Amino acid sequence: MSIWPIPYRAAVSLTFDDGMRSHLYTAIPILERHGLRGTFYVNPRGTEESAGVGDSWMKRLAPWQPVQARGHEIGNHTLLHPCSLNIQTEWNQEHNLLYWTLEQVQEDILAAQRRLEAAFPVQRGNTFAYPCYESTVGRGRGRVSYTPFVAAHFVAARHKGELLGDHANDPLHCDLHHLSSWPVERQSGARMVGLVEQAAHLGRWIVFTFHGIDEGHLLVGSGDFTQLIEYLARRTDIWTAPLVEVGRYVGLLHPDPVHS
């Protein structure tokens, strides 16, 4: 017997990182043509709107306002997209999680959230995606997780699958604020469809992570993306919904004892 709402046997969430042009002009039209919605994680960088010059963060978020109004989720991906990747380059010195404190990452997340709430005031609650799939700051004995902070502020949070071949979440036992996801750059449509079928067989929740659609170095081809979306639109027994919607439902199955 399925634990998902009738008539569903599994769930799929389609998530997209970094607010790319191909999300607005390729992914969203394909999704909406097939009656589906996704979660789009943006970094609301930019100057203050009051400055009147430059690339203001409100202007950068403006194209996403009608997207949210049509039922897609706009999620938090931090303001500055801090990563470590265990490398030291000029590019990431200032935003390197190896050298950040817990307080720094918390303030960065909250700063992004304040901007998102100002731009999307009718959006009640949203989810978080860990930049570069990293959920800790510091290094060695000083390394600490910021997942507890994320859990206190968001409905759910997307991480990455820890074990090869085990990327679909068991709704009864998953950590809602450290969800496994499947990065699908350079994956074929057939491969992605196969992953959904495997998750459906197990009754699980699979979360896909997309970057560019025919754009950037972590791209998925538009033809492969369309093949997946057409398949999902046909599968009336699979619940395809933004991460926040499935997250709210899963949260009711095993509420966090700390907050219940």
Side-chain angles (χ1 to χ4, degrees):
M1 180 176 174
S2 174
I3 58 107
W4 297 105
I6 296 172
Y8 303 121
R9 56 183 295 192
V12 176
S13 291
L14 306 167
T15 70
F16 303 78
D17 283 12
D18 304 334
M20 302 176 72
R21 284 179 57 84
S22 62
H23 300 164
L24 289 168
Y25 300 113
T26 304
I28 290 169
I30 293 172
L31 287 171
E32 294 183 350
R33 193 156 58 242
H34 293 87
L36 300 179
R37 294 165 296 125
T39 293
F40 295 86
Y41 291 111
V42 300
N43 309 99
R45 300 186 187 92
T47 60
E48 294 297 332
E49 184 70 22
S50 60
V53 295
D55 185 15
S56 78
W57 59 265
M58 187 62 84
K59 289 179 181 177
R60 292 189 69 181
L61 291 176
W64 297 96
Q65 290 174 322
V67 172
Q68 190 276 325
R70 296 196 300 271
H72 302 275
E73 178 192 3
I74 308 300
N76 190 316
H77 200 37
T78 72
L79 190 65
L80 299 176
H81 202 290
C83 294
S84 75
L85 301 179
N86 274 326
I87 60 175
Q88 295 187 30
T89 67
E90 290 185 11
W91 179 82
N92 75 345
Q93 274 296 305
E94 185 179 355
H95 305 147
N96 193 330
L97 286 174
L98 294 178
Y99 303 105
W100 273 33
T101 65
L102 199 55
E103 290 72 24
Q104 280 178 286
V105 75
Q106 291 172 353
E107 178 49 39
D108 185 81
I109 293 169
L110 291 178
Q113 190 63 19
R114 287 191 292 269
R115 293 183 177 190
L116 294 178
E117 291 175 357
F120 310 101
V122 299
Q123 181 171 262
R124 295 289 180 247
N126 60 348
T127 63
F128 180 81
Y130 297 96
C132 301
Y133 311 106
E134 296 182 300
S135 56
T136 63
V137 296
R139 52 184 181 165
R141 294 183 181 181
R143 184 185 292 269
V144 293
S145 170
Y146 64 92
T147 295
F149 175 83
V150 168
H153 290 84
F154 297 95
V155 173
R158 194 209 68 205
H159 201 261
K160 184 180 181 182
E162 301 291 348
L163 300 175
L164 184 64
D166 187 21
H167 297 261
N169 300 279
D170 182 337
L172 292 176
H173 302 287
C174 63
D175 184 341
L176 196 54
H177 294 92
H178 207 271
L179 290 167
S180 290
S181 72
W182 203 297
V184 290
E185 49 266 18
R186 296 176 291 278
Q187 296 281 327
S188 70
R191 171 64 168 157
M192 292 185 284
V193 167
L195 294 172
V196 175
E197 291 183 343
Q198 181 183 53
H201 174 71
L202 297 171
R204 294 192 173 185
W205 174 20
I206 187 167
V207 180
F208 286 116
T209 298
F210 294 92
H211 286 83
I213 309 298
D214 289 337
E215 177 188 12
H217 68 287
L218 299 175
L219 79 164
V220 168
S222 57
D224 293 305
F225 180 73
T226 299
Q227 183 179 351
L228 171 66
I229 300 310
E230 289 177 344
Y231 169 82
L232 292 173
R234 292 194 301 268
R235 288 295 300 264
T236 57
D237 60 337
I238 295 177
W239 184 18
T240 302
L243 198 83
V244 68
E245 292 185 18
V246 183
R248 286 195 180 107
Y249 178 82
V250 170
L252 295 175
L253 299 178
H254 56 97
D256 185 346
V258 175
H259 299 101
S260 61

